[in-house]
Each structure stands twice: as C-alpha cells, then as structure tokens.
Amino acid sequence: MRSAAAFLALLLCLYWTRAQGESGGVTENDITQTEVQSEILGIKATSDQTNITPDIWAELKELRDMVIQHSVELKKMEKLEQENTVIQARLTASEIKNADLEARLNTAENVVEELKRENTVLEARMSSNELQVEELKRENAERPKVAFSVGLTDAGYVGPFNTAITLKFSKIFTNIGQAYSPTTGVFTAPVRGAYYFRFKGFEIKSSKWIGIKLYHNDKMITASYDANDNIGNVMISSGFVLQLEKGDMIYLVLPSSYVVWDNDDNHCTFSGFLLFAM
C-alpha cells in the first residue's frame, strides 16, 4: 500500500507539471534562456530531445495503470488474506472438533475393549457353569434313584404266630429302583449311602398286643410295642436314618404272639428312600 501511495504522488506531480506546460506556464523567454544556457554548456538541443516529453507521459500513464492494477491486486490479496484467515479459523475449529471426536472415539474404544474383557470373563464363567451343570447332570444320571412305599394287607389281622415272622408288605405304592421285594419283604441297598426308613403299625379294638421290630441285616435297630384295652385303636410308628453298604438288608419283623391289623385304609405301611450315595 505504501508503494502504491508513492506512485500516486509521483503521478500527481507529473500531471501538475504537464498542466503547467499546456496552460502557457513556459514562455519564449524561458525557452530562449534555456537555449542560451544549453549553448553555454556546449549542449546542442536536437529535435529528438525535444520529442522526449510524449514518451515520458506515455510511460507515466503506463506507470499509473500499473499502480492501479497493483492496487487492485493488493485489494484482492487483502481479500484473499481475510478469506485465508477465516479458513484458518475454520480449520482450527475443525481441528478442535476433530480432536474432541478423536478423544470421544478413544473413550468409546476403551469402553468397547472393557466390554469385550467383561464379555470374555462372562463367557468363561458361563462355560464353567455349563461344565458344572453337565457334571451335575452326569452325576444325577449316574446316581441311583431309590424310593419305596408299601402297604401290608387288606385282609385284617396278621398274627399272632408262634414264631417271629418277616412282614411281607404286598401292596406296592412306589418302588423306584425295585430295591424292595414284596415276595420276601426285604429292602436291599443297591449302593452305599445314607437311607431313611419309616414304618407304622395298627391294631383295632381288642385285647391283643401289637409289636413291630426294625432290622438291619441281623441286627435289631428298634422295637415298638403297645397293648389294646378294648376301648380304642392302637398305633405304633418309628423312623431312622441308616448308613448302609451295598447289599445290606432292611426289613420289619412281627414278634411271636403279637398282631397288626390292616385293611384298604392302609393303616400298616413301610417306606424308605436314598438320601445320598457315599
């Protein structure tokens, strides 16, 4: 801008000088004095020298046009600089946004990685749980299922006898695993484990004695007795948890001279089941 102003000032000065010459500002005396001075200096004015002035004005005009063009280009450059400043500002804002997006993207990627790790842990746990479930299924499938519940008779009195007898419960309600034999009246343990057994005896109004014994192999576990006084019915019952080896036998014995009574109401029952194998 400063160079353009200087060119404009020079152009104005030259234009003013030209205006002075055209308005008669230069007289014949001035020309004569100029020629005298030229002769004194030994300089001979020629016609070519006299014709220099138009060329100078042409150059000045050209310079003026150049200054104007230069000024226009400077304005364009200033506009471009302003636009460049705006673009740089937008680029800076875009860079800030891009940095924010990258930060968010990094955060999201970290969250995704954390979720992947958690998912891997959950999958491992799920696989472990599935293996445990399969193991439990195998154990449950392999574990023997043993349970029975039987009734004595529908015929009324059983006994009295001169000797003790094994009670044969002939009415089968449940016999899962077929460990109880209604033919012998004996339960045989199919596996080593803990078992629960329960029995109940009944005697209707009479003066007879009621009694039942629980045996484990040849060993008596318990004996339950009662006497009827002809006034009411009598009932006895008992239950035990026993640890049995495979092949051990459990059965109920009616002692000599004792009775029990049963009918379709199922007053006399014998039950047992496997709690868990060992």
Side-chain angles (χ1 to χ4, degrees):
M1 290 300 291
R2 291 181 180 178
S3 61
F7 277 118
L8 289 173
L10 176 60
L11 181 61
L12 289 174
C13 291
L14 292 173
Y15 181 78
W16 180 80
T17 303
R18 181 183 181 186
Q20 289 295 322
E22 291 176 353
S23 63
V26 179
T27 63
E28 292 180 357
N29 291 332
D30 294 332
I31 295 172
T32 303
Q33 186 178 358
T34 301
E35 290 176 352
V36 171
Q37 290 175 352
S38 298
E39 290 176 356
I40 295 173
L41 294 172
I43 302 173
K44 184 178 179 179
T46 64
S47 60
D48 294 335
Q49 291 173 336
T50 305
N51 294 326
I52 288 175
T53 301
D55 294 336
I56 291 174
W57 284 112
E59 292 179 1
L60 288 174
K61 183 178 179 181
E62 184 178 353
L63 288 172
R64 182 194 63 183
D65 293 340
M66 290 174 63
V67 169
I68 292 171
Q69 183 65 27
H70 184 63
S71 177
V72 172
E73 291 181 356
L74 284 174
K75 289 181 180 179
K76 290 182 179 179
M77 291 181 66
E78 289 177 352
K79 186 177 180 181
L80 289 173
E81 288 179 355
Q82 292 176 354
E83 292 178 353
N84 186 48
T85 301
V86 173
I87 291 173
Q88 288 181 350
R90 290 179 179 176
L91 286 174
T92 302
S94 297
E95 290 175 353
I96 294 173
K97 289 181 180 180
N98 188 44
D100 182 58
L101 290 174
E102 287 181 354
R104 292 181 181 180
L105 182 60
N106 291 333
T107 301
E109 289 177 350
N110 292 333
V111 171
V112 169
E113 291 298 325
E114 182 64 24
L115 290 174
K116 286 182 179 179
R117 287 193 292 269
E118 292 179 357
N119 188 52
T120 301
V121 173
L122 289 175
E123 287 179 350
R125 291 180 179 177
M126 185 178 295
S127 298
S128 177
N129 289 337
E130 289 176 352
L131 292 175
Q132 291 179 0
V133 169
E134 292 299 324
E135 181 66 22
L136 289 174
K137 286 181 178 179
R138 284 194 298 271
E139 291 179 357
N140 188 54
E142 295 171 357
R143 181 182 299 123
K145 297 174 178 60
V146 182
F148 74 96
S149 186
V150 291
L152 185 59
T153 183
D154 291 337
Y157 275 108
V158 177
F161 301 104
N162 293 328
T163 60
I165 64 166
T166 299
L167 290 173
K168 298 176 182 179
F169 291 78
S170 58
K171 297 187 291 185
I172 307 298
F173 306 126
T174 305
N175 193 13
I176 299 172
Q178 304 300 314
Y180 173 79
S181 172
T183 303
T184 62
V186 177
F187 171 84
T188 304
V191 293
R192 183 175 185 268
Y195 294 79
Y196 176 76
F197 296 97
R198 181 175 180 81
F199 65 87
K200 181 180 71 171
F202 181 82
E203 207 278 311
I204 201 168
K205 297 177 182 179
S206 70
S207 59
K208 297 181 176 65
W209 282 84
I210 180 175
I212 296 177
K213 295 181 179 180
L214 174 66
Y215 275 80
H216 173 200
N217 294 330
D218 295 330
K219 178 183 178 182
M220 188 187 71
I221 301 299
T222 186
S224 297
Y225 301 102
D226 204 346
N228 198 324
D229 54 7
N230 292 323
I231 297 176
N233 300 326
V234 176
M235 183 178 295
I236 57 175
S237 64
S238 188
F240 279 86
V241 173
L242 300 175
Q243 180 177 332
L244 305 182
E245 298 295 330
K246 181 179 180 180
D248 282 358
M249 295 182 293
I250 300 294
Y251 52 95
L252 298 179
V253 171
L254 178 69
S256 61
S257 302
Y258 285 78
V259 299
V260 290
W261 190 91
D262 196 10
N263 62 4
D264 55 5
D265 290 333
N266 301 312
H267 296 292
C268 297
T269 59
F270 181 29
S271 302
F273 54 86
L274 174 67
L275 290 172
F276 51 85
M278 300 176 62

